Amino acid sequence: MKHPLKYFCFLILLLAVSCQQKDELVSPPAPYGPVPTEAQLKWQQMEMNMFCHFGPNTFTGKEWGDGTEVEDIFNPTQLDCRQWTKIARAAGFKGIILTAKHHDGFCLWPNPESEHTVAQSAWRNGKGDVLKELSDACRQEGVRFGIYISPWDQNAPTYGTPAYNETFIKTLESALTQYGEIFEQWFDGACGEGPNGKRQVYDWPLFNNTVHQLQPQALIFSDVGPGCRWVGNEEGRAGRTCWSLLNTDGFTPGAGAPPQDTLTVGNRQGQYWIPAEVDVSIRSGWFYRDSEYPKSVEELMRIYYQSVGRNGLLLLNVPPDQRGLIAAEDSARLMEFAAALQSVFAQDLAQNASEIKASHVRGEKNPITQNLKNRTHKTSLSANVQAYGAANLLDTSYHSYWTVDDSVTLAQVVLSFDQPVKFNRLMLQEYIPLGQRVSKFHIEIMLPDGKWRTVATETTIGYKRIVLLPMCTTKAVRICIDESLACPVLNRLALYKDEVFLDFKE
Ligand code: FUL
């Protein structure tokens, strides 16, 4: 050996390189299929918004006016939009969408394109503007503002002729340029007859382009999106399987939409990212009537589990009354609902776990067990375990996740506890910026004799999935991903306990 030092140096170098390779961070998974835009992700994270149906119907007691109502019928005696936004915020809603124009054509703002608006009414001597008051109140309260504008208009004289599309564009321009940022433009697909007995051929591409130009961040709701889609029913129920993907080529909102059950479920491997919005009213009608009552807290919780808990966004209608205020019983019910949500979701019992074991971790050859008790000591973990390990399921950072190698579509995590944990709700979130992937999973708990028992078998996860379970008491929970369109990428796992028995079938 002529140059022992040379060999020694070479060995050191080899060791350093191999150590470095062992700890080299592999790149994250590439997005799979369509993914949400930034605006769609921000929208989905809102989770619950309030819908306000308000207009001549509030005063006539009808669900659909016919456009012949005299303008003076609209006369709220104590309108206070700040009351609406305060209630919305306290109840946990992040946005409010107002029916600026329903099918009767009456505009809640002085729209120069129409002779059927607040400006022609005696309310505040024709100087009132509900859009202005509500958009100001939303800004003051930190609630986002959205607008429902019905293309169907039973008052517009030109409805049923090409000229109406032009009038409708000008109406959109008026509503979308004077009241600050709009987070959602709600388009109803209804296409009935106008005052001249004719139906309209809507120019949807023109409508959508106008919104995109004037409010680029606004999501457009319709039966088929493009920003978000109708969930296919007004019962407050997304599909137990619910894809945020939808095939919309060749379809239009309204009569030309895909079948309602397709909207409820979405399309596995669909072409576009068009998540489901679940619109439902707190009362039986959309507009306020003295004779109707708000739904019970149990029913609102059922709606929550079947909307937000099934990868949907909940748009709950709370209609202001003839005074222009949200009725005391509705507001009280919303506070009870918020308290019920708080009592279930304030405490994530998964945070008490002692360790989490993943069958696979991206970039690692073997299963990885992570101790959850001293999570601050991350330095001993390899770069891949830090970046992609299952402990990331338990932190609250949205952008950290557990994932596996691209070739892996079957994977499990086991969450273990020192003391038995009691829970009946399990929440999972997929990291949707990389797409919706999981199509089948099941949940097991460990019995005292060490055997596993399956407590739920489900399909999709999406942005958020809350699985309702029988009350479970166990020292270990196993989540098994059984089928995924590409390697699973999950960013959250939580356990909760809901003491209230809910009598509904999933
Ligand atoms: C439907 C309308 O016809 C109802 O009146 C209500 O506005 C609901 C939200 O959408 O299509």
Side-chain angles (χ1 to χ4, degrees), residues 77-97:
T77 47
Q78 300 172 45
L79 180 80
D80 180 4
C81 292
R82 206 57 206 278
Q83 187 242 17
W84 311 3
T85 52
K86 282 200 165 112
I87 291 170
R89 202 166 99 112
F93 296 107
K94 301 291 189 285
I96 297 189
I97 299 178

Side-chain angles (χ1 to χ4, degrees), residues 51 53 63-64 99 102-103 148 186 188 190 234 279 286-287:
F51 214 0
H53 275 67
E63 273 298 310
W64 285 1
T99 51
H102 203 251
H103 309 326
Y148 168 119
W186 217 94
D188 196 297
E234 293 178 344
D279 62 322
W286 290 102
F287 286 88

Side-chain angles (χ1 to χ4, degrees), residues 350 353-356 370-375 390-391 394 415-416:
S354 51
E355 65 171 41
I356 191 160
Q370 286 178 265
N371 183 332
L372 296 170
K373 288 196 168 153
N374 55 359
R375 263 185 281 166
L394 300 171
L415 192 65
S416 304

Side-chain angles (χ1 to χ4, degrees), residues 46 126 184 267 323 332 345 366 374 399 482 485:
M46 295 170 83
E184 182 171 337
N267 293 120
R323 297 169 304 162
F345 296 108
N366 300 311
N374 55 359
H399 297 288
D482 301 316
L485 306 179

